[in-house]
Amino acid sequence: RIQICEKDRSAKARKRRSETLMELPAEKLKILRVPSQYQKVYKDESVFDFTNAYSPDGLYVNLKTFMGVSKGYLALDQKRSNKFPIYLLQKWTRRAKPKPEAGDGEKAQPTKMAVGVEGGFQLPDMRIETIKENFICLVSPEGKETKREPYTEEAKKKGTFPETLVKVVEAILSRTDATEAKDIFSGNLEEEVKESKFARTLVQLDNGKKIPNDPTQWKCEDSGMNNNLWLNLSTGYIGSGRKETGGTEAAARHYEATGKKYPLAVKLGTITPEKADVYSYAEDAMVLDPLLDQHLKHWGLDRSKLYQTDKDMTQLAIEHQSKAFEASTITGEGEKQVPAVGQGFRGLVNFGNTCYINSTLQLLFALPEFQQRYLKHMGMVFERAPSDPAADLTTQLCKLAKALDEYPSESSEHKALKTEVELPDLGDPSIELKPKMLKKAVAKDHYEFAGTRQQDAQEYIAHLLKTISRDARAFPHTPGCTDLTSLFEFTVQTKTVDQQSKGVGLKLEKGHMFLPLPIPKPDKHTPAANNAAKDDDTASKPTKNSDGEPVEKKSRTEGKQKETKQKEPETIPLTKCIEAYLAPSFIDGYTSPVTQQKGMATKSQNLRTFPSYLFIQLYRFEQVDLRAEGKGYQIRKIRRQVPMPLNLDLKSMASSGLKENEKPLPKAKKAAPKANPDIVGAVQNMGFTRNAGIRAALATQNAGAEQAVNWVLMHSGDPDINNPVEAADDDDDDEVDAGKVSQVSAMGFPPKHAKKALKATKGDVARAIEWLFSRQGQLDDEPDTKKKDIAPGANTDKPTYKLVGFISHIGDNATSGHYVCHIEKGGKWALFNDNKVTLCDKPPFGLGYIYLYRRV
């Protein structure tokens, strides 16, 4: 009877488990594996579109590949994952938090001088909470969801899901998404902060002074102010900050009054367990103090108990920059801003100093060639995408092209939430675009763009186009992999005049994609220059107050910004910039090919061809020598205005051939590299032919006998190993180095193919060889779709252009500050300021950094 009862209980238990256990295909469960630390998990966003967990249908994460996809791409994911049916579905919704209770119907008031902590001032996002729901779903091979079971703590306790599945799901939910950067900086105006040279040897006086941890007891020892306070880490003195931030400059005066011996000060209201603003008066910069905890403890301050009560320097810098003429003019601050809505006006979210990326992408995708390339073949590109489509450049560009071509509207639920929490500018996360995967794909081999620091927009454009070109060369027969860089490339013709023989030499430099124009200083006779001189004279004279006493000279305090007036910068005509570009430069010590003597020569440049699209870069940053002030070389921004026209005629920059009275300089032929006879002899001593030795020496760049012998052993089966090495033609183009042609030809390729490869790879021997191996048997059959090779001479291309758009920079340095973009669409100009897109009646054509023109 006991055995019968035990069997009965076991049967009942199995029946209960079968009733609660979700039916899942056993053969598929065997495949499940917990993701290792080296496997990427994409659970925040679909790899084929920008769907996320906030989207109405949620985000499906394949439990085999750990990749998120939207409902619309389930069928494609089924093909790519070999019909694996089990997914984790994430669905998130936002709602307003219950309002805090307050007595007598009054609103609850903060009880702490802090931001974002319990009892302090509440941030806008703290009025909202996110409800996260998870489900386990089964999907058919056709991409249709067939079953859904809530994945909750209660379901796990009941044993609804197999133990293996629970381990996999929990690992996915606990992992950080593969696109997330490790350190995101919150401020767009943040510059790189370095460790102070005084920090590790800082002198701290033992004067018995102690600072309380209670922020309400902090006061300026000079004025009694209780905000904008700076603690001198050496003396314990508390003084207020600079005048332009509302202080009295007591902290700076204390530094000077103590003989400038105690340089480090920390802003009290910014100290938290994670960060603090430290300024060095001696170094005139924000700095890092690695021993800050120890230095604060000396004055009785416990960093772990402190919280932010004041604005940090990043926030103050943003406020300061927004008041300047440059920023207010570029962003249209103070003017009525009308949102731009509809197709083509979708913004991109700044997810950590990515404004330079956003501005670049908006400008490039305003071109129909980019739109067509990535939209036309999108479906086929997705189907043929590699195993990790999130890291594939073409896939992610197609994904972005599709998103920018759409303009989804806010959901009714989000509109209601904005009204309820009284945040009219609250973004809808279900339709926001954060190109994180594209950022990673572009920066695979560029550590600076892979990080979260601000970067130069011009350098990013150049790198992005180079990456697109490389991707196209790597997959020449893949749809959508057209090399678009040819749209922007042009040829510069340099003209050298030998002052001894008066001979003229013309040379071409191909592959340029930016026309860099200097911004010269204004003519001293222009009104703008005279006004500037008057301002400088006024600034240099000592001023007096109403009592006739000299006013104390303003010192540089904790921030880098000085109080500035909204003075309009000087204006430089574009013609002056072009003249500066075309102006000849002098070469001392030039060896004349006629007299063979050293002497003087002049060198100038103009444009041999005009591209379909022309990038013009105004040189807005210059290096200045501040070594006399102990600051070394620094980069300074040129803020002069250069009014750029909507319609541009570059006839003055077109090249011309030799004039009637000009004689060409004799062309210096490039000698092909010669094989080292000792290396050739060593190869012959091993029993190989002389031709094999010559090929080996050239292929290894005469590195040595051992390398040459190894090369021959590896290539002994080549059919042409014993054939003579063909010399390069005498009429090779200037840009194809004869020596490199010989090196590539030594690998067994005909010289004409070697030259073609070197042209395609811009002279890179290793890439040229790789290029040839990937096209073996196809080169003679390939139609030549490129333009014919050009020779030095007159530019006959049409020189007229129309402005497409331009990128502007706000701030002091190309690698800090903020980038925005203005683009003309449908006869209207719009400002693309990250996720905010507004119509612009008066674009700041004179304050741009990079301009893009279309040839008409």
Side-chain angles (χ1 to χ4, degrees), residues 81 260 454 685 716 771 805:
S81 65
K260 298 183 179 181
Q454 185 71 279
N685 291 336
S716 59
W771 188 92

Side-chain angles (χ1 to χ4, degrees), residues 173-222:
L173 293 175
S174 64
R175 286 281 292 273
T176 301
D177 189 88
T179 61
E180 285 295 328
K182 294 182 180 179
D183 53 337
I184 298 295
F185 295 91
S186 59
N188 286 333
L189 293 170
E190 185 150 0
E191 297 188 55
E192 185 176 1
V193 181
K194 299 179 180 179
E195 180 179 321
S196 171
K197 62 183 179 182
F198 303 103
R200 298 185 185 274
T201 57
L202 187 72
V203 175
Q204 290 191 286
L205 304 182
D206 190 11
N207 54 16
K209 195 171 186 178
K210 295 297 177 184
I211 311 296
N213 284 301
D214 184 1
T216 61
Q217 298 184 43
W218 297 339
K219 291 184 180 180
C220 172
E221 298 182 28
D222 177 65

Side-chain angles (χ1 to χ4, degrees), residues 552-733:
E552 182 179 1
K553 183 180 178 182
K554 181 183 287 291
S555 61
R556 292 296 299 273
T557 58
E558 69 278 2
K560 287 190 174 184
Q561 292 76 22
K562 291 184 179 180
E563 187 175 4
T564 58
K565 298 178 181 179
Q566 288 200 28
K567 184 178 69 173
E568 186 170 346
E570 303 153 336
T571 300
I572 306 298
L574 176 61
T575 53
K576 294 292 184 183
C577 301
I578 294 176
E579 288 172 5
Y581 176 87
L582 298 175
S585 58
F586 291 92
I587 306 173
D588 193 10
Y590 173 78
T591 302
S592 170
V594 177
T595 66
Q596 301 301 319
Q597 301 294 321
K598 289 189 176 182
M600 292 291 296
T602 60
K603 187 176 182 180
S604 59
Q605 57 186 358
N606 43 32
L607 306 188
R608 176 63 181 84
T609 61
F610 289 120
S612 300
Y613 289 95
L614 177 64
F615 276 115
I616 295 181
Q617 177 193 10
L618 294 182
Y619 273 165
R620 291 210 169 271
F621 304 98
E622 62 180 351
Q623 189 179 55
V624 292
D625 186 357
L626 299 178
R627 289 177 295 178
E629 302 176 26
K631 301 175 183 177
Y633 290 96
Q634 293 191 5
I635 301 298
R636 182 173 61 190
K637 186 170 183 180
I638 301 172
R639 302 185 186 275
R640 306 177 196 116
Q641 294 189 85
V642 181
M644 300 293 286
L646 291 174
N647 297 291
L648 178 62
D649 191 335
L650 292 177
K651 188 189 302 181
S652 62
M653 301 194 76
S655 65
S656 61
L658 291 175
K659 297 178 182 178
E660 293 183 2
N661 59 340
E662 292 179 336
K663 294 181 179 180
L665 285 171
K667 194 173 183 179
K669 290 188 177 182
K670 297 179 181 177
K674 295 181 179 179
N676 187 318
D678 295 335
I679 295 177
V680 175
V683 174
Q684 287 182 281
N685 291 336
M686 296 293 294
F688 297 100
T689 64
R690 182 173 182 275
N691 287 336
I694 294 173
R695 285 182 178 274
L698 292 176
T700 58
Q701 301 181 44
N702 292 317
E706 183 180 353
Q707 291 89 335
V709 170
N710 289 335
W711 186 93
V712 173
L713 292 173
M714 292 176 61
H715 293 80
S716 59
D718 292 357
D720 59 349
I721 185 69
N722 297 315
N723 294 345
V725 178
E726 297 181 43
D729 297 339
D730 292 337
D731 59 348
D732 280 348
D733 291 327

Side-chain angles (χ1 to χ4, degrees), residues 220 222 228-232 237-242 248-256 265 281 557-558:
C220 172
D222 177 65
N228 194 13
L229 301 176
W230 291 77
L231 169 66
N232 189 295
Y237 180 88
I238 299 177
S240 63
R242 54 193 167 95
T248 63
E249 303 217 7
R253 289 198 300 272
H254 174 74
Y255 165 69
E256 294 177 357
Y281 294 102
T557 58
E558 69 278 2

